[in-house]
Amino acid sequence: MSNLQLAPLSNLPVLPVVVSLLFAVLLILGHGRLRYQRAVGAAGVLAALVADLILFTTVLREGPLVYRAGDWPAPYGILFVADRLNVLLVLVAGVVGAITFWFAVRSLDEARQRAFFYPLFHVQLAGVYGAFLTGDLFNLFVFYEVTLLASFVLLTLGGERFQLQEGLKYVIINTLSSAFFLVGVAILYRTLGTVNMADLAVKVASAPDQGWLLVIAVVFVVVFGLKAAIFPLYFWLPYSYPTAPTAIAGLFAALLSKVGIYSLFRVFTLIFVAQVSVTHHGLFLVLASFTMVLGVLGPVAQMDFKRILAFHIVSQIGYMLMGLGFYTPVALAGGIYHIVHNMVIKTGLFLTAGATEEVTGTSHLERMSGLLRSHPVLAAVFFMSGLSLAGMPPFSGFFSKLALMVGGLQAGGYLVVAISVAVSFLTLFSMIKIWRYVYWGPDRGERRLDARATSPLVWPAAALLLISVGMGLGASFVFDYSYATALELMDPARYVAAVLGPQAAAVLAHAGL
Amino acid sequence: MELLTSLVIGLLVGAGVYLLLQREVLRVVLGTMLISHATNLMLFISGGVKRGGPPIVGRGIPTAGGGLAYTDPLPQALILTAIVIGFASTAFVLVLAYKAIQSRGSDDMEDLRSVEEPHE
């Protein structure tokens, strides 16, 4: 019971958010000046990355950290809590954000770079960091809105016809989901009188009316499911993301849907765990199967490079939800591993698509051909990233899926595991389709950049691929970390003790019996 | 009072959903506004509505039981935040709708369907 203790107070958990917001302000002050924007923007991304690293190593060394705004005692004030799960995601978000930034500087047109792209990029990062690190449900809503407002503008930046058309739908759908979020918060507050996540965990466990709490839980499944794009709420994603410039679409692919799936992981391992057989084994596994299958079947008829990739975001979210659905340490560890893997490699694929689009001037598969001959490095990076997404060894995708499937088989979910294997093959099929059209075949079609001029655009994607290879070769490190994180998630008493103290954790443990 | 507020919330959501199902862009936007007003009201009554109780502990009105009646201040803080955020996103969505209507030359949602491919 030595780990059941109050976490030390620290300003660190709020540091990544503050750093990103600070640089966003600095960037707004110098708006329109391109060199200033790039230099300060790069400094901001790196400063946030350093903050993430410090936070990560500190939590690894000392266990969970808590920041209390204004030092209000735990269930009343605003809280930031850093534990193993969210510091990992914060760190990966920082790395992927920095690499996407690198790509954006090189690929985004100057008009967009001048028009508040850099400040918005930092606001987006701040929102994502905040959503990961907050320990309070209403604060999570606020950071969702910060993230969303930044994404609204980023998605429609430039004001092209398709951007406006898809952007409008994206905004309306997300405004509605925010309304649902507030409904969930209001009902929960009315029922239990708190919005602090640790306090909610204790009160939910000892609440008399579990049926009513199930209703509230489903409201949150809808809210987070819409952000994460799980079945049947995924329809908006494959059409909206690809309309943005690739650097922005890559950032969205890395961060936005992962915030949704992180929220599901957090809320459904900490708060709503009283009826695992209904929510996790029932609802989540069914939703995960449909998400995987429909996400992978969607792109069969599509001929747009980025839209195919966007459909695969949906399908991969299914795998993560499957890890949560089985709710065993191994499966959860696989889910966490898969989130990290996907943040890296999905962004890498988007950046590859962006580099390809810069070369050919189109993202339509039939108008491209033979890039393997003219741009071998670009083709090689896509090939390996595609294999990693499909789950081939030695890339990280293989090991995350392996962990998920082992966890699933141990839990006896044979059908879901079979579906996930089939979906992996279909993912490979999809990647081969892109490969065959774009990189294979005779060397024809437009070439705006030669191989040498393309290499600055390929490096960011290659860096992400390298991280994926590293996570594959060092799979035991990543898996050990994920497994320890999963064990921590399966034991909500530790989180509660870190925030509210050992007495509250004892109440939780007692209610659990 | 709570019953009345609940009825108003139901009315607002009903009207909002009706407007959401319309084809004109502006009506859809108005629908989202009504629904967000309804959720704000919902937050408002989530702490329980008390008549005349100030939201300050220890400054409330004496009750028959000997305690002091005071209103829960937290929902008021939450609703304030939600209103500000809702205002910002409404302002943005109105400008966006205006630009979208201008670029398509139509305010019919049917014309905004994702049928064409986004490349070129």
Side-chain angles (χ1 to χ4, degrees):
Chain A
M1 294 294 273
S2 63
N3 49 23
L4 284 185
Q5 55 197 359
L6 206 60
L9 284 183
S10 162
N11 290 329
L12 278 180
V14 82
L15 193 61
V17 185
V18 172
V19 168
S20 298
L21 277 181
L22 178 74
F23 275 91
V25 173
L26 289 177
L27 285 163
I28 291 171
L29 291 178
H31 112 88
R33 296 209 295 275
L34 201 56
R35 282 181 60 191
Y36 173 86
Q37 296 279 315
R38 285 178 176 166
V40 177
V45 171
L46 292 178
L49 191 55
V50 170
D52 301 345
L53 257 178
I54 295 172
L55 181 62
F56 182 78
T57 49
T58 313
V59 168
L60 213 56
R61 207 174 48 239
E62 294 172 14
L65 295 175
V66 174
Y67 167 78
R68 295 202 293 257
D71 205 18
W72 282 83
Y76 305 111
I78 290 173
L79 276 179
F80 284 80
V81 184
D83 69 348
R84 290 179 68 103
L85 174 64
N86 55 23
V87 292
L88 175 70
L89 296 181
V90 160
L91 181 65
V92 177
V95 171
V96 174
I99 292 175
T100 316
F101 183 90
W102 181 17
F103 183 81
V105 170
R106 290 177 167 185
S107 75
L108 207 62
D109 53 294
E110 271 198 20
R112 283 198 175 92
Q113 290 201 25
R114 283 180 200 279
F116 292 104
F117 168 75
Y118 291 107
L120 287 164
F121 188 98
H122 285 80
V123 173
Q124 173 96 74
L125 270 185
V128 170
Y129 287 148
F132 281 150
L133 290 168
T134 183
D136 175 304
L137 212 52
F138 189 77
N139 217 8
L140 182 64
F141 163 78
V142 173
F143 279 110
Y144 262 47
E145 292 302 306
V146 172
T147 316
L148 278 177
L149 277 172
S151 78
F152 291 168
V153 190
L154 282 173
L155 186 67
T156 52
L157 199 65
E160 286 165 25
R161 209 172 53 133
F162 276 108
Q163 282 187 297
L164 294 173
Q165 170 190 322
E166 298 303 325
L168 182 62
K169 285 183 269 183
Y170 174 80
V171 172
I172 290 173
I173 289 167
N174 277 297
T175 313
L176 279 179
S177 111
S178 303
F180 260 102
F181 200 151
L182 282 182
V183 169
V185 170
I187 307 177
L188 206 53
Y189 188 76
R190 177 82 197 205
T191 314
L192 299 171
T194 180
V195 287
N196 177 299
M197 290 192 201
D199 203 20
L200 278 174
V202 176
K203 293 202 165 129
V204 166
S206 48
D209 189 358
Q210 290 293 336
W212 176 234
L213 287 172
L214 195 60
V215 175
I216 303 175
V218 171
V219 172
F220 283 103
V221 173
V222 172
V223 173
F224 299 141
L226 205 141
K227 310 277 177 186
I230 63 176
F231 171 84
L233 304 163
Y234 68 90
F235 51 87
W236 53 273
L237 188 146
Y239 295 96
S240 59
Y241 282 13
T243 57
T246 318
I248 296 170
L251 186 71
F252 287 1
L255 301 179
L256 288 191
S257 47
K258 307 306 178 289
V259 172
I261 199 83
Y262 162 78
S263 310
L264 279 173
F265 266 69
R266 173 62 75 207
V267 168
F268 283 88
T269 56
L270 180 65
I271 302 173
F272 298 113
V273 286
Q275 296 165 82
V276 171
S277 61
V278 183
T279 49
H280 295 59
H281 300 325
L283 190 60
F284 286 162
L285 284 182
V286 172
L287 291 180
S289 308
F290 275 105
T291 310
M292 282 189 281
V293 171
L294 292 172
V296 86
L297 290 182
V300 168
Q302 300 290 339
M303 289 308 265
D304 184 272
F305 199 154
K306 287 195 283 182
R307 199 180 277 177
I308 293 176
L309 292 181
F311 267 107
H312 283 290
I313 299 177
V314 176
S315 143
Q316 298 298 315
I317 288 286
Y319 283 94
M320 302 163 199
L321 192 64
M322 170 182 150
L324 181 60
F326 284 122
Y327 198 59
T328 64
V330 179
L332 262 183
I336 294 163
Y337 196 154
H338 202 72
I339 294 177
V340 175
H341 147 76
N342 203 250
M343 283 168 87
V344 171
I345 206 63
K346 191 87 240 172
T347 314
L349 277 167
F350 262 99
L351 300 192
T352 320
T356 309
E357 198 180 349
E358 291 288 322
V359 172
T360 60
T362 175
S363 61
H364 194 282
L365 295 186
E366 284 176 331
R367 291 186 212 151
M368 301 185 242
S369 177
L371 257 78
L372 178 59
R373 288 170 201 278
S374 57
H375 297 74
V377 179
L378 179 61
V381 169
F382 172 80
F383 184 72
M384 289 190 274
S385 305
L387 287 186
S388 181
L389 183 77
M392 288 283 169
F395 302 105
S396 52
F398 171 74
F399 296 99
S400 62
K401 285 183 184 173
L402 184 69
L404 278 170
M405 286 166 193
V406 170
L409 291 177
Q410 283 173 351
Y414 302 111
L415 180 64
V416 184
V417 172
I419 290 172
S420 75
V421 174
V423 169
S424 280
F425 279 111
L426 289 170
T427 309
L428 188 60
F429 160 76
S430 217
M431 292 299 120
I432 290 172
K433 173 178 161 184
I434 296 177
W435 173 257
R436 194 172 68 82
Y437 274 102
V438 180
Y439 301 99
W440 209 248
D443 185 0
R444 59 179 166 76
E446 200 180 341
R447 295 285 184 273
R448 294 185 180 177
L449 301 168
D450 62 13
R452 179 180 285 273
T454 318
S455 60
L457 293 169
V458 181
W459 284 122
L464 288 167
L465 176 63
L466 210 64
I467 296 173
S468 168
V469 173
M471 287 195 308
L473 295 178
S476 68
F477 293 108
V478 187
F479 183 77
D480 285 347
Y481 186 93
S482 309
Y483 190 72
T485 309
L487 287 178
E488 203 176 277
L489 285 181
M490 300 278 293
D491 183 13
R494 279 206 227 173
Y495 185 98
V496 171
V499 176
L500 297 174
Q503 296 90 345
V507 173
L508 180 73
H510 182 73
L513 300 171
Chain B
M1 193 64 192
E2 286 192 4
L3 181 68
L4 186 66
T5 320
S6 308
L7 288 174
V8 170
I9 292 170
L11 196 71
L12 280 173
V13 172
V17 171
Y18 175 77
L19 284 172
L20 270 184
L21 298 175
Q22 303 285 305
R23 283 172 63 165
E24 281 158 67
V25 172
L26 192 61
R27 291 185 184 218
V28 175
V29 173
L30 284 173
T32 62
M33 286 165 72
L34 286 188
I35 290 177
S36 80
H37 290 331
T39 52
N40 288 343
L41 274 180
M42 206 160 162
L43 273 180
F44 177 63
I45 62 164
S46 70
V49 180
K50 282 197 197 74
R51 226 177 188 163
I56 303 166
V57 182
R59 295 269 180 87
I61 300 163
T63 56
L68 292 169
Y70 66 94
T71 314
D72 186 350
L74 190 74
Q76 304 186 6
L78 302 188
I79 189 180
L80 200 63
T81 317
I83 288 172
V84 174
I85 291 171
F87 176 71
S89 49
T90 305
F92 182 77
V93 76
L94 281 174
V95 174
L96 185 63
Y98 177 69
K99 289 288 283 181
I101 291 168
Q102 258 191 339
S103 79
R104 300 294 299 201
S106 153
D107 71 340
D108 192 336
M109 284 305 268
E110 282 289 304
D111 291 336
L112 298 176
R113 282 172 58 175
S114 327
V115 277
E116 295 164 70
E117 301 265 311
H119 36 255
E120 277 159 336

